[in-house]
Amino acid sequence: MLPGATVGLLFGVWLFQQQPQLWSLTVWAGWLVVLITLSLIRFGRIPARVPGVPFSFPVQTLLRSLWLVLLIAALAFAYAQARAWWRLQSALPVACEQQVITMQGIIVSVPERDARGQHVDVAIVRSFNPSCPPPAKVRLNLYEQSYRGDAAKSVAVMPRLQAGERWQFSVRLKRPHATRNPHGFDYAAWCLANQIGASGSIITKAPMHRLQALVWQPAALIARWRARVGDRIERILGTTPASAVVRALVIGDDSQIARADWQLFVDTGINHLVSISGLHITMLASLGYLCTGWLWRLRPRWALRLPSTLAASAGGALVAVAYSALAGFSIPTQRTLYMLLTVLAMLSLKHRLPFSWILCVAMWVVLLLDPWAVMAPGFWLSFSAVAILAFAMGGRLRPACWWRAAIHTQWIITLAFVPVLVMLFNQLSLVSPLANGLAIPLVSLGVVPLAIAGAVLPFDFLLQWAAGLWQVCAHALVWLHQLPWAVAYLATPPMWAWLLAMLGTLVWLMPRGWPLRWAGLLLWLPLCLPVSSSLQPGQMRVTVLDVGQGLSVLVQTAQHAMLYDAGPVYNAQSDAGQRIVLPYLRHLGLRQLDLAVVSHDDNDHVGGMASVLSGIAAKQIVSSLTSDASFFTQLQQIHSASGIPASAIPRIACHAGQQWQWDQVSFNVLYPTPSLAPEVKDNDKSCVIQVVSAHGSVLLTGDIEQYAEHVLLESSPEALRSNVMTMPHHGSKTSSSPAFIRQVQPEIAIATVGYRNRFGHPKPEVMARYQALGSQTLRSDHDGAIVLDFTHGQRPQVIRWRAVEPHYWETTDQVVAGAL
């Protein structure tokens, strides 16, 4: 019955995490009363077997089992709700966002340092603002520039934050907020699972005082230990790619791994190895188990006091806990640790238990301690991998030799996870079996043990050996990645195709002798079917992506696609093109852009375009940029997905009068004029494009300000009329002049802005102008991605992604307060 109860637990916890809001006490308490009442009803009147059917199932037993599973699911739902309510109680009040709060806190993470400043996690111990209590743990940034961009303090006098210190400073905080796009990463959910209650910046112009050099608390001591180990690695190996990987493998800090290296790991399918993964923890725990057991058997007297099995389990557990502490007890590490400790405890019992029971108990432990685990792909991948291996390799009459077992295991995992990886990541690494076959033994049995031993022991040569082994592995990965068939990208399959593929995987995993076992792989074929456009000639779909403070718009017709801008650069390792735009294009199954438009040379518009063009080919680039723009320098350093240098993509200067038509949809460039003076600011050089279909039109305005608006009103006033427009310059007060928006007469006006952005966009007076005209105003920070389908009638169908996929952790304080 334990497997059935585990299914109920898993379903109940998962179902709660899909809820748009917390249930009120009366609602879910009422459901629990109903379920408990029904579960106590005896099914004595129901016959044990169906009359006239000699071999029917025991109906009474079956119904009782189903009711028990349902009751456990309801209890799990209620338990997850209670945990979520308790955690959300400590959230930063909405009214306190961006207010100055003076507080004391302990740095409990290894500080991350980059060109912008320092970034740390801080456990709050005291707040001097009673009306604005901060959460227990926040993520803070100490920037080398002030809030408005001017130098805050000289770098020479900027304090260097260290793990384990206690500080007093003033901060501005924001609640966790995620950009919301189809098939995108939810940062707010990640913060909830990791107990990050708010993020913000330290005010450098206010006093900052270090109150204590080292706080004698477990979290602070572990953070200081990890920081010193990281400093030792950097001191011995320098700031090299190998040093960054060794640092990630030893202390779990992957912030120094370059973006290009991460892409290499992802494309070759070994990114799960370049971190403190469950495989490494399990391997080290197994090593501790074997070594302790061997040592115990050498001392018979010890075995008389404590059985060697228990001693070996304790040794493996201690090694796992120590390595997890070195990783900072990150949430994925904690999940792996819970699983491992549960397995070790159950293996040490005198009675042999079925492996399915051990796996179920491990899942109970993980979900009871961390109900948010079901939102992490790693949770499903970890348990699925163990279950698949147990199912596919269990019950063998004759065990295979070790090398055949290793190859068999690798192929089982690689093929079994094909449908899962396509659904989650739209990517399939065709060289993954070769890359993992090389990297798993080299990293897990060579790099990781050498790196840990060299980091905690005074033997520098061990770290150097670990770095040398990794460089051998990296050279092989580069060679594999250069193969033309190394990576395949597939669109997100429909649910029916994915379920069919999972059924095919189950058939393929059946024991040898099962009829037509290999034919199960044929059920994968729907995953590879080309994506057919749902648009007809004359129709179009416009997606205004939520990229924060920036702009990115995808325009699709029946057979063509145009990307207008690609959002901002967030930091040296991340931009909107890499994190948002490119995953969305691959989710749709787009293999090529017919046109990439760069409206003008501002970071929040051009910042992510290089990343997009490195992952998907484009036929042409249209921009208002000069030939010496840094964007074109970036293109010279990357290759497009087609293998052609991105710098070889034809470039066309954007100017008024350009026209083309795709699938009976017209594209008209209205601005800038060819005679635009060179001294005009970049914003007023933005490329303005109007797209007209049989079912409506959209005006893409970039960052034009009142000068450009005036030119447009004089040069082409009649052409401006559009059903939908993006607000010029994100709703700035320097744009959206009354005369301009009266001429456009938009039914829908969209402001693409970041949450609580420092510019205050969109300005309230600008929003009031549109609303006075009767326009529907939408905001990307409130609505997420906005999809406009121009398919029927003269008004587009509007889809707001936050309304499509609402989550309870995005609710306001009032909803949370009234939930229980």
Side-chain angles (χ1 to χ4, degrees), residues 142-486:
L142 180 60
Y143 292 116
E144 294 179 359
Q145 292 187 338
S146 73
Y147 190 68
R148 293 294 178 183
D150 52 326
K153 285 185 179 181
S154 170
V155 178
V157 300
M158 183 76 72
R160 187 174 177 87
L161 304 179
Q162 299 289 349
E165 295 177 336
R166 178 170 178 164
W167 283 82
Q168 178 174 315
F169 30 54
S170 299
V171 300
R172 286 191 178 93
L173 298 176
K174 293 190 294 187
R175 294 161 64 96
H177 184 87
T179 56
R180 292 293 309 279
N181 299 278
H183 210 69
F185 173 69
D186 193 334
Y187 173 73
W190 180 88
C191 286
L192 178 67
N194 285 269
Q195 303 184 55
I196 304 292
S199 62
S201 58
I202 300 171
I203 301 174
T204 56
K205 295 183 178 179
M208 299 175 58
H209 304 290
R210 188 178 69 173
L211 304 178
Q212 197 171 345
L214 178 61
V215 178
W216 290 88
Q217 293 182 1
L221 294 174
I222 291 174
R224 176 62 64 89
W225 177 41
R226 296 177 62 227
R228 288 184 174 177
V229 170
D231 292 342
R232 170 175 166 76
I233 294 172
E234 188 172 343
R235 185 175 65 255
I236 295 171
L237 300 180
T239 54
T240 62
S243 171
V245 171
V246 170
R247 185 182 176 94
L249 291 172
V250 175
I251 66 171
D253 179 14
D254 57 15
S255 62
Q256 297 186 9
I257 297 179
R259 186 192 308 183
D261 290 336
W262 263 123
Q263 193 61 48
L264 171 67
F265 306 151
V266 171
D267 289 346
T268 53
I270 62 102
N271 52 306
H272 64 98
L273 290 175
V274 190
S275 61
I276 298 185
S277 67
L279 179 63
H280 302 331
I281 298 175
T282 304
M283 184 272 299
L284 288 176
S286 301
L287 186 62
Y289 183 95
L290 294 174
C291 291
T292 306
W294 172 77
L295 181 63
W296 224 254
R297 284 189 291 272
L298 292 179
R299 300 289 187 272
R301 292 182 180 179
W302 295 358
L304 292 175
R305 296 185 179 182
L306 182 66
S308 58
T309 303
L310 289 176
S313 297
L318 288 175
V319 171
V321 171
Y323 189 36
S324 300
L326 194 57
F329 288 114
S330 63
I331 295 300
T333 304
Q334 289 182 34
R335 285 197 294 266
T336 301
L337 184 62
Y338 300 153
M339 290 176 59
L340 190 59
L341 293 180
T342 303
V343 171
L344 287 173
M346 299 193 70
L347 289 177
S348 64
L349 298 177
K350 294 182 179 180
H351 301 286
R352 287 282 184 176
L353 296 173
F355 184 79
S356 60
W357 279 55
I358 296 176
L359 192 64
C360 288
V361 172
M363 185 171 288
W364 273 81
V365 172
V366 170
L367 291 180
L368 290 178
L369 293 174
D370 181 17
W372 296 274
V374 295
M375 297 191 294
F379 168 83
W380 299 98
L381 294 175
S382 298
F383 275 99
S384 298
V386 176
I388 287 170
L389 288 176
F391 177 75
M393 303 188 70
R396 303 295 176 183
L397 296 177
R398 185 179 62 184
C401 61
W402 68 269
W403 63 270
R404 286 187 178 180
I407 295 175
H408 192 201
T409 299
Q410 181 59 46
W411 274 106
I412 287 173
I413 291 298
T414 300
L415 292 179
F417 276 121
V418 165
V420 178
L421 295 177
V422 171
M423 174 63 80
L424 292 178
F425 306 113
N426 303 113
Q427 179 174 324
L428 183 59
S429 176
L430 302 180
V431 298
S432 174
L434 296 174
N436 278 278
L438 170 70
I440 287 177
L442 199 61
V443 173
S444 296
L445 301 179
V447 177
V448 171
L450 287 173
I452 293 176
V456 300
L457 299 175
F459 301 123
D460 297 355
F461 67 90
L462 294 178
L463 281 174
Q464 294 167 352
W465 287 0
L469 273 179
W470 171 254
Q471 288 174 344
V472 172
C473 182
H475 286 308
L477 294 176
V478 170
W479 181 81
L480 289 172
H481 187 249
Q482 291 173 346
L483 297 175
W485 44 269

Side-chain angles (χ1 to χ4, degrees), residues 540 668 670 688-692 696-701 717-726 740-749 775 790 794-796:
M540 68 176 178
N668 307 305
L670 306 181
V688 178
I689 300 179
Q690 185 188 50
V691 189
V692 182
S697 56
V698 60
L699 185 66
L700 305 176
T701 59
E718 296 302 323
L720 291 174
R721 190 63 58 87
S722 302
N723 299 93
V724 180
M725 71 179 295
T726 57
F740 181 73
I741 62 175
R742 277 199 305 268
Q743 188 62 39
V744 177
Q745 285 289 322
E747 298 175 16
I748 301 172
S775 302
F790 294 82
Q794 298 299 315
R795 182 180 175 86

Side-chain angles (χ1 to χ4, degrees), residues 577-628:
Q578 171 205 23
R579 293 180 53 185
I580 297 172
V581 183
L582 191 56
Y584 179 64
L585 298 179
R586 288 175 175 165
H587 158 70
L588 297 176
L590 289 178
R591 301 182 181 274
Q592 181 176 255
L593 292 171
D594 294 277
L595 189 63
V597 179
V598 179
S599 63
H600 65 296
D601 197 8
D602 265 6
N603 166 58
D604 56 338
H605 294 253
V606 70
M609 188 62 78
S611 292
V612 172
L613 297 180
S614 70
I616 188 170
K619 291 183 178 179
Q620 287 184 330
I621 298 175
V622 170
S623 75
S624 62
L625 278 61
T626 58
S627 59
D628 60 346

